[in-house]
Amino acid sequence: MIDLTGRQAVVTGAGSGIGRACAQRLAAAGAHVVVVDIDAEATVKVATEVSGTPVVADLSAPDFVNALPADVDIVVNNAGFQHVAPIEEFPPEVFAKIIKVMVEAPFLLVRATLPGMYERGWGRVVNISSVHGLRASPYKSAYVTAKHALEGLSKVISLEGAPHGVTSNCVNPAYVRTPLVEDQIDAQAEAHGIGRDEVVERIMLAPAAIKRLIEPGEVAELVAYLCGPHSSFITGTSLPVDGGWMAR
């Protein structure tokens, strides 16, 4: 059993998918969850489900941290979005926004919350990376760049946080059954000129040994473990949840 009673957690992108599953799992372990998402309706809905605190925020805005509490014990950097296009057609403004949401926002959030973690001598930072934080795919230049940068940030946090009882790790799922992946299927189908089923079979599941999409709850279980007492010596690493993708 993972007991997080008395802990306060911030989960970004918690309105759906992996973020929602993480909010539910951490709340079930006893944590009070601050549910952060840009979608106001989804934010309130999930916060109500987990008896948490809703915070509607645009993580591309530099002052979003002002709306969040600083005295949190757990940070789950999950928010992100995808755009699929060849580099020569990739909109620069979309590239910049992906970096803001998926790299700068985690930095700003951790920057604001680390002092409190240091003072209390305990903290957990879990960064929802991706297999694309470890490997690249075509047409995803911004996403792959952002996830690789998040991996580096996570390692630095782990080194600086270790003397203060703070761990930092990345969780690296392959394709998870989320709205983001559903949108990717359509985008990949258009980019490659093939059908949705072919995208799933020939592109998404081809590198994996286990031929199915991952469920959000499977990712959330690992996140919860990394926030619990038995993970205190796990830091600065990346943990694939990839169905054997990295085995190739």
Side-chain angles (χ1 to χ4, degrees):
M1 296 293 292
I2 299 170
D3 185 2
L4 299 176
T5 302
R7 304 294 188 188
Q8 180 162 234
V10 168
V11 181
T12 65
S16 65
I18 295 172
R20 179 185 181 187
C22 288
Q24 292 171 332
R25 183 63 184 89
L26 295 177
H32 178 83
V33 181
V34 180
V35 177
V36 183
D37 202 280
I38 196 171
D39 184 328
E41 184 178 351
T43 303
V44 173
K45 180 180 179 182
V46 174
T48 301
E49 290 173 353
V50 303
S51 299
T53 301
V55 175
V56 180
D58 180 356
L59 270 61
S60 67
D63 60 349
F64 80 92
V65 292
N66 297 335
L68 300 175
D71 59 336
V72 300
D73 307 289
I74 297 166
V75 171
V76 179
N77 287 309
N78 167 73
F81 67 101
Q82 177 68 276
H83 184 81
V84 178
I87 292 173
E88 68 274 16
E89 298 174 10
F90 209 103
E93 66 277 9
V94 177
F95 190 101
K97 188 170 184 178
I98 287 177
I99 298 300
K100 280 185 175 294
V101 171
M102 296 170 58
V103 183
E104 290 186 23
F107 161 74
L108 292 172
L109 180 51
V110 170
R111 180 179 184 272
T113 56
L114 274 181
M117 294 181 186
Y118 288 176
E119 183 178 342
R120 292 184 295 276
W122 194 94
R124 298 287 186 267
V125 178
V126 182
N127 302 294
I128 306 301
S129 181
S130 166
V131 290
H132 287 108
L134 305 173
R135 298 287 189 273
S137 288
Y139 308 120
K140 298 181 178 181
S141 56
Y143 190 85
V144 170
T145 299
K147 291 303 188 184
H148 274 69
L150 185 63
E151 295 278 333
L153 175 63
S154 181
K155 289 179 173 65
V156 174
I157 297 166
S158 74
L159 296 178
E160 294 187 14
H164 307 281
V166 176
T167 66
S168 176
N169 293 287
C170 286
V171 174
N172 301 70
Y175 290 99
V176 183
R177 193 184 305 278
T178 66
L180 178 65
V181 167
E182 290 294 330
D183 291 341
Q184 283 188 61
I185 294 172
D186 292 330
Q188 291 273 17
E190 182 177 353
H192 292 278
I194 59 178
R196 283 175 53 89
D197 290 343
E198 284 184 281
V199 170
V200 175
E201 293 175 11
R202 288 174 47 191
I203 298 175
M204 292 185 168
L205 298 183
I210 300 174
K211 301 298 184 182
R212 66 170 176 83
L213 297 176
I214 305 159
E215 298 301 329
E218 294 176 287
V219 181
E221 283 295 334
L222 180 53
V223 171
Y225 178 79
L226 291 172
C227 294
H230 301 296
S231 65
S232 62
F233 211 70
I234 303 173
T235 195
T237 193
S238 304
L239 303 171
V241 185
D242 64 354
W245 186 320
M246 295 298 106
R248 295 185 184 275

